Amino acid sequence: MKNLFFLLLINICVSTLAYSSHIRAGEITAKRLGCNGSVYEFTLTAYRDSGGNIQFGNGIFNFGDGESISLNPEGFFRKEIIDDEVELVQFKLPPHTYPGNGTYTVSYEEDFRNAGIVNMTNSGFVSFYVETTIRLDPFFGCNDSPVFLIPPIDKGAVGLLFFHNPGAFDINNGDSIAFRMTIPKSTRNTEVPNYRFPNIAGGGGTEQVPEIPSTYTLDEILGDVEWDAPGMQGEYNIAFIAEEWRKINGKWELLGTITRDMQIIIAETDNDPPELQIPMDTCIEAGTILEAEIIATDPNPESLVRIEAFGGPFTLDPAATLNPDPPVFGASPTTAIFSWQTTCDHIREDPYQIRFKATDNGPGIRLTKFETWNVTVVPPAPKNVIAESRPQRSIEINWDSYDCGLAEVIQVYRRVDSFDFTPENCEIGIPENGGYELIGAVPVSQNSFLDNNAGRGLAFGATYCYRLVAIFELPTGGVSYASEEVCQQIAATGPIITNTSIEATDINNGEVTVSWLPPFEIDTAIYPPPYKYQLLRGVNGSFNPIAVIEDDTNYRDSGLNTEEEIISYRLELYLLSQAVEQENLIEVSATASTVRLSSVSLFEAIQLNWSATVPWSNLNQDFPYHYIYRNKVNQGDQDQFVL
C-alpha cells in the first residue's frame, strides 16, 4: 500500500507539471497617472501555451514598497489566442500610490514554469519571475515605462538563425532605450538553477558556416536577439532588460528598467523562412503623408505569406496603418501598403522604428523574417522669409509665425553672397559647407530679427543672405529643414575693401597689398567728389593711421611681420578738399584682415587651420577648394612646394 501511494503521488505530480501554466513569456509595464503625484498603474502581460489547462494568474504581484496582492486568474482584462497555441493574458493592476520618492522594483512571481526546458534544471519546479523598476524623482519629470509592441510568439528551426525583437517604444519622446542580457529568475535576486545560454545548451553552428560554434547575441541599441543557429530542438528560455534613459542637464539618467522573460521553441523542419523588401530609411516632413509598399516572398512556392507591422507610429494619433488589416496570408510574393499621416505632434529627433514581420504557413512550423525601417519626422522650414534694408547699414528679416509642434527658438544664419542649396531628404539644418554663420536666435513667438552686425553696421556694398531653422526643445529635440535663402545688399555709400593680399612673408620685411572700391552709391549732392582715404592698420586689436591716399585705390604696406601676426585694415572716407579730422569723417569701411595659417603638431600628422575676418565671402560654389601645398615632398628639391 505504501508503494502504491508513492506511485500515485508521483503520477499526480507529473500530471500537474504536464498541465501547468506553460508560461512562455511576460513583462510588466508602468504608466504614471498624472505628473504631479506618485500614482502608477501597472499592466502585467503574459504569453502562455494554450495547450495547458491551468490558467495564468495564480501568482503574487509585488509593488516594491512592501505591498503586494494575489492575482485572481479570472481577473484579467484581456485574454485571446494570438497564434498557434499561444494565448495572450493581461492584467491591469489597480492604481497604486507610492509613499515618496525613490527607486521601486515591481515584480510578479508565479509557480510553475513548464517542464522540460532545455537550458535550466528541473524547470517544472521553477517559478516564473519578471520585474520592472521605476524611479520617482521630480528631477526626472513625468515618465512612463517603455512598452514592448512585438509579442514573443515566433518559433525557430534547427540550423536556421532565430531572430526576435520586442519592438520597444517609449511614448516619452526624447528618451533612449538600451538593452542588455540577463538570466531568467525564479524570484527576486535568484537566478533559475543551472542556467545556460541557448547557444551553449542547444549546440549547433552558424547558419552559413555550421562548423563555427553557434552564437547568441543582443544588440544593445536595437534590441535584436539573434541565435545563430540552434543545433537541437526543444524549449529554451531567455531574458533581457530594456533600460530607459533621459538626458537631463547634459547627463544621461537611468529612469527605470523592464525585463522580458520569454521562451523559444526550436523544431526540426524542411521549411525556409520568407524574405522582406522594405524601403530605405527616410525622413518625412511633419504634416505630410508617408506611404510605402512592403513586399514579402517565400522560397517555398506552395507557402503563403503574411505581413505584419509594429512600432510607435501605430500607437499615435493619427495612427499609421498597414493594409490589408487584419493581416492575411497571401500567395508569394505578397504586398502590404503602409500609410501614415504625420502631424507636428509627431516631431522628434530620434527616428521611429517600424518593424515589419513576414510569416509563412509551412511546410512544418511557421518561420518568420523581420526588417526595421527607420523614419524620422522632421520639422518644416520657416516659411515666407523676407529681408529688407534698414537705416544704419542694417537688414531686417521677417517670416511667418512658426506654429508647428514644440519649437523653442528660430535660429538666424547669415553669409555674404548667395549659396545655392535645396535640402535633400533628411538633410536638416544649415549645410556645414555653406559658409553660414549663426548670428542670432529668437523665441519661436517672435517672427522678426534686425541684423546690424552687433551694432557695428554691415559692410558697404556686400550682399547678405539669410536662412532660418527652427530648433525644438528637449527631450523631444529636433531641427527643421533650412528655409529658402533671402538676400539683401547694403548700399555702397562708403569705401569697400576688396582684398588684403600678403605679397611677402617675413618676420620684419613682410608686405601686404590693400585694394578697395570707391563709394559709388554715395549721395554726391551732399558729398561731391573727389575723395581721399585714410588707411588704418590694426595689429592685436589696436588701429593706427598709416597713410592718406588721394588718387588711388591700392596701397602696398611694408616692413611687417606677416609670418606671425594677423594684420587688419580699415579705411576712412573724406572729401579731398577737407582736412583729415574727425569732424570731417564721412564713412568708415568694414575691417578686412589677412589670412592667418596656423598649425598644430599631432602624432605623425599636422593639423592646419586658417581664418580671416573680411567683409566678403571666402566660400564660393564656383571655386569650392582651398589648395594645400607642402615642401619636403620632392626628393630632388626639398624646398619645392608641391600640391
Side-chain angles (χ1 to χ4, degrees), residues 133-422:
T133 62
I134 60 172
R135 292 184 69 183
L136 258 175
D137 191 324
F139 178 68
F140 299 146
C142 200
N143 185 58
D144 301 330
S145 73
V147 293
F148 293 153
L149 301 177
I150 301 179
I153 61 177
D154 304 308
K155 298 178 181 179
V158 172
L160 297 179
L161 183 146
F162 172 83
F163 179 93
H164 172 71
N165 186 288
F169 176 68
D170 197 323
I171 194 65
N172 307 289
N173 285 335
D175 291 351
S176 293
I177 302 175
F179 298 86
R180 59 183 172 92
M181 291 182 186
T182 190
I183 293 176
K185 294 184 174 66
S186 59
T187 188
R188 185 173 183 179
N189 299 326
T190 304
E191 298 173 353
V192 298
N194 193 28
Y195 182 78
R196 290 155 294 149
F197 287 107
N199 61 313
I200 303 300
T206 62
E207 182 177 330
Q208 301 299 321
V209 187
E211 293 78 17
I212 297 178
S214 173
T215 60
Y216 169 65
T217 60
L218 171 65
D219 189 295
E220 296 178 351
I221 304 300
L222 299 177
D224 293 342
V225 177
E226 292 189 359
W227 179 7
D228 186 12
M232 182 177 68
Q233 65 181 5
E235 298 178 356
Y236 302 81
N237 268 71
I238 65 170
F240 53 85
I241 295 172
E243 300 175 333
E244 184 185 20
W245 296 83
R246 178 174 296 174
K247 199 169 190 178
I248 303 174
N249 296 332
K251 179 183 177 183
W252 286 101
E253 300 284 353
L254 179 63
L255 302 185
T257 65
I258 176 172
T259 302
R260 169 173 276 185
D261 186 321
M262 60 175 283
Q263 190 172 93
I264 304 171
I265 298 177
I266 303 297
E268 295 275 3
T269 183
D270 293 329
N271 190 18
D272 294 306
E275 292 295 330
L276 264 173
Q277 182 180 336
I278 69 171
M280 295 180 63
D281 293 349
T282 189
C283 295
I284 182 74
E285 184 176 305
T288 58
I289 190 168
L290 177 65
E291 294 183 324
E293 182 182 57
I294 314 302
I295 303 173
T297 57
D298 196 276
N300 305 296
E302 69 277 15
S303 293
L304 302 178
V305 190
R306 178 182 67 193
I307 301 175
E308 299 172 272
F310 308 88
F314 296 95
T315 70
L316 303 177
D317 183 24
T321 61
L322 187 73
N323 287 315
D325 184 23
V328 295
F329 283 98
S332 174
T334 189
T335 61
I337 303 300
F338 172 88
S339 180
W340 185 24
Q341 176 60 61
T342 63
T343 73
C344 293
D345 292 335
H346 300 152
I347 291 170
R348 70 176 197 176
E349 186 174 16
D350 293 332
Y352 291 91
Q353 293 180 331
I354 305 166
R355 305 188 189 277
F356 295 100
K357 173 185 174 183
T359 306
D360 66 18
N361 68 343
I365 64 170
R366 293 181 178 181
L367 294 180
T368 60
K369 176 71 173 183
F370 284 85
E371 294 289 350
T372 300
W373 189 27
N374 292 301
V375 174
T376 305
V377 180
V378 177
K383 297 293 192 295
N384 296 323
V385 184
I386 59 174
E388 298 177 309
S389 294
R390 293 290 182 260
Q392 283 78 51
R393 287 183 283 155
S394 61
I395 295 174
E396 184 177 66
I397 304 98
N398 292 276
W399 58 93
D400 288 351
S401 296
Y402 196 89
D403 57 358
C404 185
L406 299 176
E408 185 176 18
V409 298
I410 302 295
Q411 291 182 339
V412 182
Y413 287 83
R414 181 190 71 199
R415 63 163 279 145
V416 177
D417 296 332
S418 179
F419 184 80
D420 186 19
F421 168 67
T422 300

Side-chain angles (χ1 to χ4, degrees), residues 141 165 184-185 190 199 201 285 451 453 471 543 553 566 586 595:
N165 186 288
K185 294 184 174 66
T190 304
N199 61 313
E285 184 176 305
D451 179 19
N453 199 24
I471 304 298
F543 280 84
T553 55
I566 298 177
I586 301 173
V595 177

Side-chain angles (χ1 to χ4, degrees), residues 532-551:
K532 60 184 175 184
Y533 310 92
Q534 178 166 257
L535 181 64
L536 295 86
R537 180 203 303 142
V539 179
N540 298 323
S542 177
F543 280 84
N544 295 293
I546 60 171
V548 175
I549 302 99
E550 295 184 358
D551 298 319

Side-chain angles (χ1 to χ4, degrees), residues 388-395 457-464 488-496 517-523 573 587-590:
E388 298 177 309
S389 294
R390 293 290 182 260
Q392 283 78 51
R393 287 183 283 155
S394 61
I395 295 174
L458 297 166
F460 295 115
T463 297
Y464 290 94
Q488 186 61 250
Q489 187 179 47
I490 297 296
T493 57
I496 305 165
L517 294 174
F520 50 84
E521 290 184 283
I522 196 171
D523 189 339
L573 176 68
E587 287 287 9
V588 180
S589 75

Side-chain angles (χ1 to χ4, degrees), residues 24-89:
R24 282 202 63 188
E27 68 256 4
I28 301 169
T29 53
K31 179 179 179 59
R32 189 171 180 180
L33 302 181
C35 294
N36 298 321
S38 55
V39 181
Y40 273 82
E41 181 182 74
F42 297 97
T43 300
L44 170 64
T45 302
Y47 303 86
R48 64 177 287 271
D49 188 337
S50 58
N53 66 348
I54 303 299
Q55 299 302 305
F56 176 83
N58 289 289
I60 303 297
F61 192 95
N62 193 312
F63 291 100
D65 60 352
E67 293 190 27
S68 61
I69 60 173
S70 299
L71 292 191
N72 178 354
E74 301 301 322
F76 61 86
F77 84 95
R78 181 185 175 195
K79 179 187 285 190
E80 61 179 298
I81 300 295
I82 61 172
D83 204 75
D84 294 342
E85 296 187 345
V86 179
E87 184 178 56
L88 168 70
V89 185

